[in-house]
Structures are given as C-alpha cells and as structure tokens.
Amino acid sequence: MKKILIAEHDADMIRYLNLVAARFGFNAFVAETAAAAEAALDQESFAFAIVSKSLYGRDFKKRLGRFADKLGGSNVVVVCGDDFEETARVSTAQGVRACLTTPFEVVFIPDLLDEAATPAQGGTEPEDAPGGASAPEEDDLP
C-alpha cells in the first residue's frame, strides 16, 4: 500500500483527506505540526504529500523545497488559505503539482490522488478515453 503524508492541523481537513486517501488505496500518515512532518520525511518513504501552508509560516518556501526534493514536485499538493497568489508562485517555482485554496478547491484532491494511484492509465482524464469508463475495469481483471 502506498503511503501519503498529510501535513495539516485542521481536524475537518484531516478527516476529509484521510477518507479520500483510503478511497484511493493510500495509507495516510498525519503530521499536525511542522516538526512532525519533518520527522516523517526523515523516517518514512511516501508516494505523495498534501501540505498545508499554514503549518510553516515564513519557512514555507524552504520546507516546501524539501518536500519537492524528497518526493518529487509532481507528488506534492499544497493547500493554502487567503494568500493564494504568493503560495501559488512559490509552489510553481518548486515544481509542485498543485496549489489549492480551502475549502473550495480541495474537491480536486480526489482527482489528483486517483491520478497518482493509477499512473499506468496515462491520462489525467481517464473517463474521456475511448471506450468510456469500462476500459480501466477491463485492465484490472486478473
């Protein structure tokens, strides 16, 4: 089972992200502080990370760089609040996959996790592929 690091302190977001991670076959490790997230990065190997900007404050750029270096930028998603433009600029510079604002854009997290969980399908919109939604099911048959 793939591991996902959820660096978030908001209880509602943690519950939501845990449910979504489990739905796509990820075993979630939740770090509610910056120190816990850093320790987890040192001790574990993760396939994906969802990082809340609010945990890091002024150190965000440096800490995000560490996530991107350790996991690859395409395997990191940033969730931020009101300061979207600056956070998006920093995230893009680090090569991070997406920068989402809460609570409205977190609805895209299931799509991102689905794509990360099934990279062999090759597209970001598998339902638009010829053959419709039945094509991935045929590939999953033993």
Side-chain angles (χ1 to χ4, degrees):
M1 183 175 269
K2 295 178 186 177
K3 292 182 191 176
I4 184 171
L5 174 59
I6 299 172
E8 175 64 67
H9 63 87
D10 181 84
D12 290 335
M13 280 294 292
I14 290 170
R15 273 191 297 278
Y16 170 72
L17 295 173
N18 265 315
L19 290 171
V20 173
R23 176 179 169 204
F24 291 102
F26 286 93
N27 185 17
F29 178 89
V30 177
E32 294 187 48
T33 65
E38 295 295 318
L41 278 177
D42 289 337
Q43 297 169 3
E44 300 286 335
S45 178
F46 296 99
F48 206 83
I50 299 174
V51 182
S52 173
K53 182 197 182 286
S54 62
L55 285 181
Y56 294 97
R58 293 181 181 164
D59 288 339
F60 175 69
K61 185 176 181 178
K62 181 173 90 172
R63 300 299 181 196
L64 184 60
R66 185 154 186 266
F67 276 91
D69 289 344
K70 188 89 170 171
L71 302 173
S74 64
N75 295 323
V76 179
V77 171
V78 173
V79 178
C80 69
D82 298 333
D83 55 348
F84 175 75
E85 288 182 23
E86 176 61 24
T87 306
R89 190 171 25 259
V90 169
S91 299
T92 300
Q94 297 289 347
V96 169
R97 173 180 217 107
C99 180
L100 308 173
T101 59
T102 55
F104 305 107
E105 290 185 336
V106 296
V107 297
F108 296 115
I109 288 176
D111 295 334
L112 296 171
L113 289 181
D114 183 33
E115 185 180 326
T118 56
Q121 290 181 1
T124 58
E125 303 287 339
E127 59 273 2
D128 291 341
S134 63
E137 291 174 5
E138 292 172 3
D139 292 339
D140 291 338
L141 293 176

